[in-house]
Amino acid sequence: MTTVVVCAGGPKQELCSFSSFQQQQDIVFIGADRGALYLIEHGITPHAIVGDFDSLTEEEYQLVMAQTNDQQRFQEEKNETDTDLALLKAFTYAPQEIILTGVTGGRLDHYEAAVRSIYRLQKEHPHIALKIINQTNMLQFLLPGTHAIYADNRYRYLSFFAHEEPIKDVTLRQVKYETTKEEISLGTSRFTSNEIIGTSGSISFSRGICLMIRSID
């Protein structure tokens, strides 16, 4: 399974841990603007780097450009964010999973833009898992159907939220608080802080878009 990790240029403390990904065989790293420098600082040679690189000094820019032959520099005045450009690049590797990190801290407008991009791209590519990950959380949009959720000590707690419209016929199994064909309405916090019982749980629903957030604490 090919996984693409896209590192954006948000605050360093918001980056996910790269160690588990570095151990994988089919792994691709893409740096978006300053995210390329972050990867290099973690001992990772990016497969590709994209962006306008306005956040880098000339010395930093020359450093990242020397690390890869696949480099795309764009003008500062453009319609897409650097993160969007990196995500589009990620799809060229035909991945089964795309991990985005470096977008949850710092500027809230950049975070909101990243969430909206992940939402749009998940709808356009339903067979590819797109996730936003930082040190303590994982965010993912789920489409109607049945989804297995595997236990992970890094993300003990599960929360589910309706995105744009209510979620219909929600059935949760092998979790602390099970449900059968219930509804997650817009604005409710009732489906916050669930937990998997055993090695895996599941959620199924017939309509709506589910925002799933997994957290350490």
Side-chain angles (χ1 to χ4, degrees):
M1 181 180 79
T2 299
T3 295
V4 178
V5 177
V6 174
C7 183
K12 289 184 180 181
Q13 63 268 25
E14 290 295 317
L15 298 178
C16 68
S17 173
F18 295 115
S19 58
S20 61
F21 297 115
Q22 288 175 282
Q23 298 171 10
Q24 296 183 26
Q25 294 296 320
D26 297 326
I27 189 74
V28 173
F29 291 97
I30 297 176
D33 201 81
R34 194 168 188 81
L37 181 62
Y38 291 162
L39 290 174
I40 294 168
E41 290 175 343
H42 280 82
I44 299 170
T45 300
H47 292 77
I49 56 176
V50 300
D52 55 33
F53 304 104
D54 61 344
S55 66
L56 299 180
T57 66
E58 181 62 27
E59 182 180 359
E60 291 170 338
Y61 174 71
Q62 294 301 328
L63 172 64
V64 300
M65 284 295 165
Q67 295 296 312
T68 179
N69 293 323
D70 192 346
Q71 47 195 236
Q72 295 177 279
R73 186 172 191 179
F74 296 84
Q75 298 294 323
E76 290 184 39
E77 295 78 18
K78 57 187 184 303
N79 293 326
E80 300 86 0
T81 66
D82 292 330
T83 299
D84 281 337
L85 293 170
L87 288 170
L88 292 175
K89 181 69 175 179
F91 284 102
T92 67
Y93 291 91
Q96 283 77 53
E97 180 181 53
I98 297 176
I99 304 296
L100 176 59
T101 191
V103 296
T104 54
R107 289 177 54 173
L108 290 178
D109 57 339
H110 284 176
Y111 168 66
E112 181 67 18
V115 171
R116 291 174 182 269
S117 293
I118 289 293
Y119 167 63
R120 171 177 54 82
L121 292 170
Q122 187 65 82
K123 292 182 68 177
E124 294 175 0
H125 303 273
H127 301 298
I128 300 175
L130 292 103
K131 304 172 183 178
I132 293 176
I133 297 180
N134 61 19
Q135 289 286 344
T136 55
N137 302 280
M138 186 275 287
L139 179 154
Q140 182 179 9
F141 287 101
L142 304 178
L143 305 179
T146 300
H147 303 269
I149 309 169
Y150 297 98
D152 188 331
N153 291 332
R154 294 173 300 174
Y155 308 112
R156 176 181 175 184
Y157 298 102
L158 291 168
S159 297
F160 304 97
F161 303 95
H163 191 77
E164 292 194 343
E165 63 177 301
I167 306 173
K168 302 293 186 178
D169 301 318
V170 178
T171 298
L172 293 167
R173 290 291 180 264
Q174 293 301 113
V175 293
K176 187 174 182 179
Y177 307 106
E178 293 192 337
T179 65
T180 301
K181 292 189 177 299
E182 296 196 25
E183 176 180 301
I184 302 179
S185 59
L186 288 170
T188 185
S189 60
R190 180 187 164 204
F191 289 78
T192 303
S193 295
N194 212 327
E195 298 178 49
I196 294 174
I197 304 300
T199 58
S200 67
S202 67
I203 179 173
S204 63
F205 55 100
S206 62
R207 180 178 175 182
I209 304 293
C210 179
L211 171 60
M212 179 177 72
I213 299 177
R214 303 187 66 172
S215 303
I216 291 177
D217 200 350

